[in-house]
Amino acid sequence: MATFDVDQHNDVRSETDYSPTFPEIMSRLVALPNCTLPHWVLSEAAGLLHRWTISQSIEINPRTLELTDQPLWFTSALYCSVVNLSYTDTNHVLTEILHSTSVNIVHWFYHFRNLRDHGGILPPESPVLHRFSLLQRRYCIISAAFHKCFKLVDQIFDGHHSRSASRLCWALFLGAENSTVGNEDLLTTVYILISALAHIMAFGKSEYPLNAPLSNIVDDTDDTAILTLLVDQLNCNLNDALATREAHWQPWVTSLNINLSVPLLDVAVGAVARQPRDLDEMGFVTSDSFLLPPGITPQRNGNTPPTPVKSTISLVQSLSHTLAKDEVDYSQPTATLQKYFYRATPDPSESIATRLSLLESTYYKSLPNYHSSLHTITDEGQDSH
């Protein structure tokens, strides 16, 4: 039992030994808010906590007479009980536990690893250890995929629609990824994510407009062509991406049996909700504070205007694509332009030539000043070092 120095704590409690009784622990578990776990699961968790306190695995706070780090211990005991008893009636059961105990999953991962490494608390053959290992690995992969998804959606879709587009993309991705039994490969996960993006870009442009220059480049519903474009931009392997789409993405989309009267987002979210998982991974896209790493809340670009360089590059890319697509020699004026040019009164030829000459003269006069200022900045930078 946990023992305390009487001289140090005689102002709090005179007893030298204290551990909460089973009924006391049980009453605290029953009082957890929004916890729907049945009484027999709570009873199993209370029994675990009681044994852990008696074996001195859990310290007792001498002032409150409560378990030190009580929410974390409650989370661990409840999760162990769910696994040991093979309880499956509550989907996303760990998400419910985390919300009930107000514990962030990253903090709990750290706590449970310490519990796992503390000899004697959990037997080596415990099924909890294997399930925890898979859970922790999956969280790392899915968390990385979410942050990649978040960045790609903000770059691809118009700011006014990026939030709804990210929710749809994430739901479609989770559905396809979760349906892949035993898939814990990060690269395969990324290819499934790209397939989901390509599908929305191809078939959802009217509802989820694209940013420039993609809004001009993507002009068909060929998701294979769009997938090729995304793979090229991300420096991935096209053959692997196409193989992953064939094996994992297309069977999932086909299984949805999409009804045109029901929004695709609702269909995808409903399908994901029915998939058995410890965590409700849609919580990533809804910024669940118990699911995201502490202190990290994704911030969207929203309507932030692009930088001048990015705006210019987008314009040039868009114009280049348009000119190349039309297959017209724009180095020569069209017949219509020539007709209006010759009919103009007065003749604009001289004023245009004068304007161009003035621009040329201004450019060459400004160029030495630019080089001079550039050398000054460089010299100052070298002096500072």
Side-chain angles (χ1 to χ4, degrees):
M1 291 183 289
T3 304
F4 305 104
D5 190 324
V6 179
D7 294 333
Q8 291 182 1
H9 302 290
N10 55 9
D11 60 326
V12 179
R13 185 174 176 89
S14 58
E15 291 87 345
T16 58
D17 296 327
Y18 173 78
S19 62
T21 64
F22 176 88
E24 289 174 333
I25 297 175
M26 185 66 181
S27 65
R28 297 174 191 177
L29 291 175
V30 171
L32 289 174
N34 303 317
C35 183
T36 63
L37 294 176
H39 189 276
W40 52 278
V41 175
L42 298 179
S43 179
E44 173 72 12
L48 287 175
L49 290 166
H50 187 240
R51 291 196 295 274
W52 292 344
T53 55
I54 292 177
S55 65
Q56 301 183 17
S57 299
I58 306 177
E59 296 181 356
I60 307 299
N61 188 316
R63 295 188 179 278
T64 63
L65 298 182
E66 291 186 345
L67 285 62
T68 302
D69 297 328
Q70 179 168 285
L72 290 167
W73 283 105
F74 279 10
T75 304
S76 296
L78 289 169
Y79 186 69
C80 287
S81 300
V82 165
V83 176
N84 290 335
L85 298 174
S86 300
Y87 176 73
T88 58
D89 290 351
T90 301
N91 202 9
H92 308 145
V93 64
L94 181 55
T95 294
E96 178 179 310
I97 293 173
L98 293 172
H99 283 219
S100 297
T101 57
S102 299
V103 168
N104 181 275
I105 190 170
V106 176
H107 291 158
W108 178 69
F109 279 154
Y110 178 78
H111 174 267
F112 199 87
R113 285 196 299 268
N114 288 336
L115 185 153
R116 175 196 62 191
D117 298 338
H118 190 288
I121 298 182
L122 292 175
E125 67 278 5
S126 172
V128 181
L129 297 180
H130 177 66
R131 185 156 161 179
F132 174 76
S133 177
L134 295 178
L135 171 68
Q136 190 173 221
R137 176 179 174 81
R138 177 171 177 80
Y139 178 84
C140 293
I141 293 176
I142 295 299
S143 179
F146 167 71
H147 290 291
K148 189 66 176 177
C149 172
F150 195 87
K151 291 179 181 179
L152 289 174
V153 166
D154 269 0
Q155 293 171 5
I156 292 172
F157 297 97
D158 177 77
H160 295 287
H161 303 84
S162 59
R163 183 173 296 277
S164 56
S166 64
R167 191 159 182 256
L168 174 58
C169 178
W170 190 243
L172 289 172
F173 158 73
L174 285 180
E177 204 278 338
N178 287 347
S179 64
T180 305
V181 179
N183 172 45
E184 299 295 342
D185 178 65
L186 180 58
L187 193 56
T188 301
T189 299
V190 171
Y191 287 142
I192 295 175
L193 176 61
I194 295 175
S195 299
L197 279 171
H199 184 87
I200 300 173
M201 292 170 67
F203 303 106
K205 286 179 296 186
S206 59
E207 190 173 354
Y208 306 101
L210 307 179
N211 281 326
L214 288 173
S215 56
N216 299 308
I217 296 175
V218 179
D219 54 3
D220 53 38
T221 56
D222 183 2
D223 57 343
T224 300
I226 299 173
L227 181 68
T228 304
L229 174 66
L230 291 175
V231 167
D232 182 62
Q233 293 295 320
L234 296 173
N235 296 319
C236 297
N237 185 286
L238 178 59
N239 291 331
D240 290 344
L242 291 173
T244 301
R245 186 185 67 165
E246 180 73 22
H248 305 307
W249 170 255
Q250 290 180 339
W252 155 251
V253 173
T254 303
S255 70
L256 287 179
N257 295 322
I258 299 173
N259 185 340
L260 295 179
S261 64
V262 181
L264 178 58
L265 176 59
D266 296 341
V267 175
V269 171
V272 171
R274 292 189 295 270
Q275 292 175 328
R277 285 287 180 185
D278 284 345
L279 292 174
D280 179 8
E281 293 163 344
M282 284 300 295
F284 279 100
V285 81
T286 57
S287 299
D288 186 340
S289 60
F290 300 114
L291 192 60
L292 294 175
I296 297 181
T297 302
Q299 299 294 328
R300 294 196 172 278
N301 294 331
N303 298 323
T304 303
T307 63
V309 173
K310 183 177 180 181
S311 178
T312 302
I313 291 175
S314 298
L315 178 60
V316 171
Q317 289 176 335
S318 178
L319 289 173
S320 299
H321 175 74
T322 301
L323 295 177
K325 182 176 64 175
D326 291 345
E327 298 181 354
V328 176
D329 183 9
Y330 286 96
S331 64
Q332 300 296 325
T334 63
T336 303
L337 180 60
Q338 287 180 329
K339 180 178 67 174
Y340 286 120
F341 183 82
Y342 290 128
R343 290 182 178 179
T345 304
D347 187 352
S349 303
E350 185 176 348
S351 60
I352 292 175
T354 303
R355 177 65 174 169
L356 289 174
S357 177
L358 180 61
L359 289 173
E360 180 184 31
S361 176
T362 303
Y363 172 76
Y364 283 116
K365 286 180 180 179
S366 303
L367 195 58
N369 295 331
Y370 168 76
H371 284 296
S372 176
S373 62
L374 183 62
H375 286 304
T376 302
I377 294 173
T378 306
D379 294 339
E380 290 178 353
Q382 292 175 346
D383 293 339
S384 65
H385 291 292

